Amino acid sequence: MPSVTAGKLCPRGVFVTPRMSHYSAESKQIMRLVAATGAMVEQMSIDEAYLDVTGVIAQKNETRAESMLDCAPVLALARELKRNILAERQLTASIGIASNKLLAKLASDFQKPDGLTLIPDRDKVMFLRPLPVRAMHGVGKVTESILNQAGITTVADLQNYNGDLRALVGSFGPTLRRFAFGEDDRPLEPGESVKSISSEETFESDTLDRKILRACLRDQCSEIASELKRKKIGARTIQVKIRYGDFTTLTRQITVEEPIDVVEDLYRLACFLLAREKLVSRPLRLLGVGVSGFGEAPGRQLVLFH
DNA sequence: TCTGGGGTCCTAGGACCC
DNA sequence: TCTGGGGTCCTAGGACCC
């Protein structure tokens, strides 16, 4: 039963890269239209979202329950969404309709800028067969090469493979096998629950200039602190990331007892991490800070009574 | 492609506790 | 304590995604 839609929204002016601020403002407007469908929405990035339309469709069809079996209502909803986005924002959107995230995403990629593709469940195995393994969610360059070396280049090869994929791709094996048959039980996760926040910058030229580095680190810590404040959370783990001219990339992290959320604390810890092993002894190409391990924002005391 | 930025998840080793 | 095993937390790196 078609219930999940992945919408890929593409600006009509392909050659113009809008400024980020414009882009995110535009994104908000479009996500507003997406939300207006009444579907459950999980926003994946600035221009992508999954929708679970099961509820909306069921509501609309209370009177004729048998039509749940056909996909006309979902198609109608998708067409209306595309129409609204074009009318109100002058943008085209690609929409894929299928029974799960994996297939909905593949469907939305099927016709690039302005598509509407539906993959009925009975067709999914055949739809997947000709695709390269790289099309599978979670298969990147490294995994692709491992699979290719084992003679597996298409999803059909994956479907036909009799061996244990775990020997090739570790714990991803069973999931990859299910993906190859179009099975995907990843749930839709609405709302915003973040697990880490970070900020990093690549310099135009590698630098050892303490003034530049300190200013950069401070800005990044301040950016993160405001985000923590906005979300009313604190972080227990602080990480710094550096990259040298030869692309060697290192991270160092520390976990503290109490969640922190102020610039000074973040900055102090970041400096400490960099200083501890004298990491800034060669010019840096990149400097970054990140936080994770979120908990209650500091200042709020836990009270236990009985 | 001489390689941007913000994320998620997995792995593997070590510390520590029981 | 010349020694087992499991659980949890921390750390560092890497693959992958958008």
Side-chain angles (χ1 to χ4, degrees):
Chain A
M1 189 155 318
S3 62
V4 178
T5 307
K8 185 144 191 96
L9 308 162
C10 304
R12 204 156 38 167
V14 179
F15 304 109
V16 184
T17 306
R19 286 175 177 281
M20 211 52 193
S21 56
H22 291 177
Y23 210 77
S24 77
E26 190 57 54
S27 169
K28 269 194 192 129
Q29 292 300 313
I30 289 169
M31 290 305 163
R32 180 178 54 79
L33 296 174
V34 169
T37 60
M40 227 164 79
V41 180
E42 175 181 359
Q43 185 170 352
M44 293 303 289
S45 64
I46 198 153
D47 69 347
E48 252 187 347
Y50 288 109
L51 282 69
D52 185 340
V53 299
T54 315
V56 213
I57 299 298
Q59 246 176 13
K60 282 184 183 164
N61 292 307
E62 255 176 1
T63 47
R64 38 186 202 121
E66 80 281 1
S67 65
M68 280 293 285
L69 294 174
D70 78 83
C71 26
V74 192
L75 279 169
L77 183 144
R79 288 205 186 92
E80 189 186 347
L81 179 56
K82 276 166 68 79
R83 261 200 312 276
N84 289 342
I85 290 173
L86 186 60
E88 293 202 26
R89 311 308 310 165
Q90 291 78 49
L91 292 170
T92 61
S94 283
I95 296 183
I97 304 169
S99 59
N100 60 47
K101 285 182 171 181
L102 177 87
L103 293 169
K105 166 83 169 134
L106 288 170
S108 83
D109 287 341
F110 192 68
Q111 287 171 304
K112 269 301 189 195
D114 188 20
L116 177 52
T117 305
L118 182 145
I119 306 178
D121 247 24
R122 61 176 177 282
D123 297 343
K124 63 185 182 188
V125 176
M126 289 308 287
F127 177 91
L128 291 167
R129 286 189 75 78
L131 301 181
V133 288
R134 187 63 195 267
M136 293 287 90
H137 178 87
V139 177
K141 240 165 88 171
V142 175
T143 308
E144 176 188 34
S145 141
I146 291 170
L147 291 171
N148 286 173
Q149 275 167 33
I152 303 168
T153 60
T154 65
V155 177
D157 294 336
L158 272 177
Q159 291 176 0
N160 298 339
Y161 190 71
N162 285 323
D164 188 352
L165 284 172
R166 267 180 293 209
L168 297 174
V169 300
S171 67
F172 183 45
T175 304
L176 181 57
R177 184 173 168 78
R178 285 188 290 108
F179 280 1
F181 287 97
E183 293 159 20
D184 174 13
D185 55 11
R186 284 174 299 160
L188 196 99
E189 284 164 16
E192 59 173 271
S193 77
V194 203
K195 307 206 164 155
S196 70
I197 300 171
S198 65
S199 170
E200 63 185 62
E201 184 178 339
T202 299
F203 304 112
E204 287 200 5
S205 59
D206 305 352
T207 181
L208 248 179
D209 188 324
R210 291 300 201 272
K211 235 183 206 163
I212 294 177
L213 295 175
R214 268 196 284 265
C216 174
L217 203 60
R218 244 197 183 287
D219 283 353
Q220 293 171 336
C221 288
S222 135
E223 220 176 273
I224 290 171
S226 15
E227 191 58 20
L228 289 171
K229 292 251 164 68
R230 202 184 65 77
K231 292 187 186 308
K232 297 184 168 46
I233 52 176
R236 285 187 57 224
T237 301
I238 290 79
Q239 181 182 71
V240 292
K241 173 176 171 181
I242 58 167
R243 176 172 292 153
Y244 298 118
D246 64 359
F247 218 73
T248 304
T249 305
L250 301 179
T251 63
R252 290 295 181 266
Q253 68 181 50
I254 190 168
T255 301
V256 294
E257 290 265 325
E258 295 298 321
I260 57 175
D261 70 346
V262 294
V263 201
E264 286 70 28
D265 293 343
L266 293 171
Y267 182 70
R268 239 195 315 275
L269 283 167
C271 288
F272 164 74
L273 286 167
L274 291 172
R276 191 169 54 177
E277 296 171 54
K278 299 192 166 39
L279 298 179
V280 192
S281 51
R282 288 194 273 152
L284 300 188
R285 169 175 297 187
L286 173 148
L287 179 59
V289 194
V291 297
S292 57
F294 298 136
E296 282 276 292
R300 248 164 298 194
Q301 306 296 327
L302 192 64
V303 178
L304 175 69
F305 61 96
H306 53 122

